[in-house]
Amino acid sequence: GTVDNEPNTGQQLSLYDHAEMEAYMVNLKRIGATALRWNTFLFGKDLRWNASGYCTGMCANAVANIKHGLDVAYSNGIVVQIVLSTAHFLSYTTETPDDVARVNNIRFMFTNEVATKYYITNVIRAISQTIGVHPGLFGYCLINEASGMYYPEDAGTGTWSDVKVHMSDFQKWVNWVASEIHDNQPGAMCCVSGIASGLYQYADAALIAAGGKTN
């Protein structure tokens, strides 16, 4: 899916179009594809927040739409990696009050323990417990291009998001989110994407040291 949030990008959860996804998977099968990455949450616009900035869930039918996408993928011999967040999460699209609130809430979710637990309960647990082990699910990219949201002192490669987070906060967040996924969907691969020089940042030892969860 693209990241422009237009109505015709039906792979985004709030704009999800069953027929479009079915046609998309059929076409992928025709060209011989066997796996894809689904940028499921784009800018985080399908997450929902309360007045205190805690994540209370997702748009209507979010989990059912994810399940449908996985079902259709599997029926066409394709496995899916769900992308939970990207460097676009902390970038403004319009700088309207709603957009600023979105970015602030997402940064809070990444950096505050209580806010992270709200996200894990209302998003990660809601998805992973409901869907469970699924033959169409390869796994999750927890953060795409994480270093794009680092404070400059944490990244030698340059950052580009409008709002920044420390690498150590991301390490803890990834540790907790991956642990919840593995509790509910054993075998689902979890990763963080970026450049090869950052591999050590998300090695098991680094994640366990940051977040304390060993699975």
Side-chain angles (χ1 to χ4, degrees), residues 20-211:
E20 183 176 345
M21 183 62 102
E22 289 162 10
Y24 186 65
M25 294 297 181
V26 168
N27 288 332
L28 285 177
K29 181 180 181 179
R30 284 173 177 162
I31 64 171
T34 58
L36 68 90
R37 302 178 82 203
W38 179 3
N39 201 358
T40 319
F41 289 93
L42 302 181
F43 291 92
K45 292 181 178 181
D46 288 339
L47 300 176
R48 299 292 178 256
W49 318 90
N50 66 17
S52 299
Y54 295 115
C55 184
T56 57
M58 298 163 279
C59 60
N61 302 313
V63 177
N65 290 342
I66 293 172
K67 174 71 162 53
H68 178 265
L70 294 175
D71 290 345
V72 174
Y74 180 65
S75 69
N76 285 281
I78 294 167
V79 292
V80 176
Q81 182 188 60
I82 292 172
V83 181
L84 293 175
S85 66
T86 77
H88 297 93
F89 266 45
L90 295 183
S91 295
Y92 300 120
T93 57
T94 60
E95 293 196 62
T96 60
D98 283 349
D99 199 43
V100 171
R102 170 185 62 85
V103 170
N104 288 341
N105 289 341
I106 291 172
R107 185 182 186 279
F108 188 51
M109 179 268 291
F110 279 136
T111 59
N112 177 277
E113 284 192 3
V114 175
T116 297
K117 289 176 180 177
Y118 268 81
Y119 170 81
I120 287 173
T121 298
N122 295 319
V123 176
I124 301 303
R125 189 169 299 166
I127 295 169
S128 59
Q129 284 190 352
T130 303
I131 293 175
V133 175
H134 191 292
L137 177 67
F138 174 74
Y140 296 85
C141 175
L142 306 190
I143 310 174
N144 182 55
E145 299 178 339
S147 61
M149 298 186 283
Y150 288 178
Y151 281 102
E153 59 265 30
D154 289 340
T157 55
T159 68
W160 57 88
S161 65
D162 295 310
V163 175
K164 311 297 184 186
V165 169
H166 284 295
M167 178 181 67
S168 57
D169 285 317
F170 277 141
Q171 289 171 317
K172 183 174 186 176
W173 185 88
V174 165
N175 177 250
W176 286 16
V177 170
S179 176
E180 179 67 30
I181 289 169
H182 290 145
D183 282 345
N184 303 320
Q185 294 174 305
M189 299 282 284
C190 290
C191 75
V192 173
S193 67
I195 57 172
S197 63
L199 278 172
Y200 73 94
Q201 299 169 357
Y202 296 97
D204 286 353
L207 296 181
I208 293 167

